[in-house]
Amino acid sequence: MADGQVPGRSGAPVPPAANIFTKLGLPPSESDHRRVLAVLRYLDA
């Protein structure tokens, strides 16, 4: 294994969770917790 590689990682440039947040219209933010906002948006639906 090469140095700096994590076993089991696909090396995808964008984590799957980031794609979900983008589809929900939740941009990256320093002040908001996107996981909590995603759950609140789901419960609101």
Side-chain angles (χ1 to χ4, degrees), residues 1 5-12:
M1 178 176 357
Q5 289 185 348
V6 178
R9 291 286 305 207
S10 66

Side-chain angles (χ1 to χ4, degrees), residues 11-45:
V14 178
N19 291 334
I20 294 169
F21 295 141
T22 301
K23 288 179 183 180
L24 290 172
L26 300 171
S29 172
E30 295 277 332
S31 62
D32 296 325
H33 200 290
R34 293 194 301 169
R35 290 180 184 171
V36 173
L37 293 174
V39 170
L40 291 174
R41 188 162 292 181
Y42 172 78
L43 293 174
D44 232 11

